[in-house]
Amino acid sequence: MKDSKYVKNYFKRKGTVSKWWNPTDDDCKHIYIREIEIISSFLKRDNHLNRKKALELSVGKGRLALPIHNLFQEYLGTDISEEMLQITWRKDKKLNLSYADAENLESIKDDYYDYVFCLAALVHYPHPENAIQEISRVLKEKGTAIVSLDNKYSLKRIIKDSINKRYLKNKEGFEPQGDHIFQIYPKKELKKMFIKYNLKIQKIINLGMLIPIKYQTSNQKNKYFLFSPKTGYRLRYLSVVLDQIPIVNKLSTYNIYILKKISFN
Ligand SMILES: C[S@@+](CC[C@H](N)C(=O)[O-])C[C@H]1O[C@@H](n2cnc3c(N)ncnc32)[C@H](O)[C@@H]1O
């Protein structure tokens, strides 16, 4: 990942993330849909949602906010990209949206929200620890944070990294696509950051064992390893089954962390 200024300016610029982040029209759209189903069914267990306040960091194109914001008394979706906020706002003008850098939520009071959501975005923050600290600060005691991100040791990553290594060795100047704005953290490191800021891991849900693995050749052509998106879609139920199998599911593509803010006092 490049330096903080570069990365933040990248996301603030028009025509960057909006071009490549299309979760409802992606090779892995069924995985993204499943993620929302998992979160929605988790939320259903809370009978008092209509009295609760929720904040979403990096709302993107509204994949989570659009289906769930009405369940809450108050919902605020935020993002560093004004363009992404505009796209989401056009889909539902009643959704409350605001610009915010997840690493600095200065306009938000301490201990205000019952829920904080942050999906597929922590990997794009140059200093994720700052965002985790902010999540904890704005959450009420016993509040819940749901954070999802790429698993550093997924089958997808292991295969992609070994393909990239081959190209890196053979072609000078080859840069794997996305590496300038993307950084994955090992589970151990993430756990340390969560604990440091009083966020206790209640559950880790593994998601997406079998997904089409896209990689770039040295002349920037997109190719798929093992199977195509079509086959990946056909294998979606098998993927869900594999996601449930302990040890095997350590290789899943994404991890959803359910965190609770605890107090040590
Ligand atoms: C891969 S998209 C995920 C969007 C959405 N959470 C989802 O899962 O569909 C990453 C999002 O993070 C936002 N983002 C990147 N850096 C950010 C930052 N420092 N603060 C807030 N949002 C940021 C981007 O603008 C983009 O909307």
Side-chain angles (χ1 to χ4, degrees):
M1 184 186 257
K2 292 213 178 184
D3 65 83
S4 181
K5 198 171 160 202
Y6 173 95
V7 177
K8 290 194 184 177
N9 283 337
Y10 171 90
F11 282 104
K12 285 179 191 171
R13 249 191 344 265
K14 255 186 158 180
T16 56
V17 60
S18 64
K19 284 256 155 67
W20 54 261
W21 183 248
N22 296 303
T24 51
D25 187 26
D26 187 275
D27 296 344
C28 300
K29 61 179 176 217
H30 53 287
I31 306 276
Y32 299 128
I33 291 170
R34 169 132 185 86
E35 185 176 23
I36 303 306
E37 284 169 358
I38 291 171
I39 295 172
S40 302
S41 72
F42 174 83
L43 292 175
K44 266 195 198 136
R45 291 187 221 154
D46 184 339
N47 296 325
H48 306 290
L49 271 192
N50 59 355
R51 282 186 249 145
K52 303 272 171 88
K53 299 184 181 79
L55 169 73
E56 185 175 353
L57 306 179
S58 303
V59 70
K61 293 184 176 171
R63 177 167 72 105
L64 177 69
L66 293 167
I68 70 165
H69 77 99
N70 278 329
L71 304 173
F72 293 90
Q73 182 192 64
E74 203 179 301
Y75 195 100
L76 176 65
T78 62
D79 205 288
I80 203 168
S81 160
E82 295 281 6
E83 188 185 18
M84 295 296 252
L85 291 170
Q86 271 293 323
I87 293 170
T88 302
W89 183 75
R90 269 187 243 123
K91 293 179 186 168
D92 184 346
K93 298 194 170 83
K94 287 196 186 120
L95 174 57
N96 207 4
L97 294 166
S98 172
Y99 168 91
D101 177 347
E103 293 183 0
N104 181 4
L105 304 172
E106 57 192 354
S107 58
I108 300 176
K109 286 187 269 184
D110 295 359
D111 309 307
Y112 187 75
Y113 286 103
D114 301 282
Y115 285 90
V116 178
F117 305 107
C118 178
L119 305 190
L122 205 79
V123 287
H124 299 300
Y125 304 160
H127 303 291
E129 193 169 329
N130 294 351
I132 293 169
Q133 184 174 18
E134 284 295 70
I135 291 174
S136 176
R137 180 183 69 75
V138 303
L139 259 183
K140 287 180 186 167
E141 199 187 324
K142 295 195 182 140
T144 301
I146 301 185
V147 176
S148 81
L149 69 165
D150 294 67
N151 173 12
K152 188 167 171 71
Y153 302 113
S154 66
L155 189 64
K156 171 185 160 180
R157 280 291 140 203
I158 293 168
I159 292 172
K160 256 189 129 154
D161 286 352
S162 69
I163 294 172
N164 285 341
K165 236 184 235 161
R166 214 181 63 209
Y167 284 123
L168 282 168
K169 218 165 69 189
N170 294 337
K171 187 161 177 178
E172 222 180 285
F174 172 76
E175 190 192 25
Q177 214 176 40
D179 272 18
H180 57 132
I181 48 137
F182 185 82
Q183 169 89 50
I184 322 185
Y185 302 88
K187 245 185 216 158
K188 226 176 168 181
E189 220 175 291
L190 283 166
K191 282 181 184 171
K192 258 195 214 159
M193 291 192 241
F194 292 141
I195 285 299
K196 183 171 174 191
Y197 295 107
N198 300 349
L199 294 170
K200 187 171 180 227
I201 300 177
Q202 291 216 296
K203 199 173 178 184
I204 302 175
I205 301 164
N206 302 294
L207 177 70
M209 265 299 299
L210 294 178
I211 71 159
I213 302 171
K214 189 158 78 179
Y215 67 95
Q216 278 78 41
T217 62
S218 51
N219 43 8
Q220 300 295 314
K221 274 203 175 134
N222 285 332
K223 282 200 167 176
Y224 288 95
F225 185 81
L226 269 177
F227 52 80
S228 67
K230 232 180 180 173
T231 310
Y233 186 72
R234 282 197 202 112
L235 295 174
R236 66 194 182 283
Y237 296 118
L238 175 62
S239 184
V240 172
V241 172
L242 294 176
D243 284 345
Q244 322 293 321
I245 302 177
I247 303 181
V248 172
N249 66 12
K250 297 254 180 278
L251 292 172
S252 68
T253 308
Y254 297 104
N255 296 129
I256 307 173
Y257 290 85
I258 313 274
L259 307 157
K260 191 170 225 93
K261 180 171 168 184
I262 47 157
S263 156
F264 288 113
N265 302 331

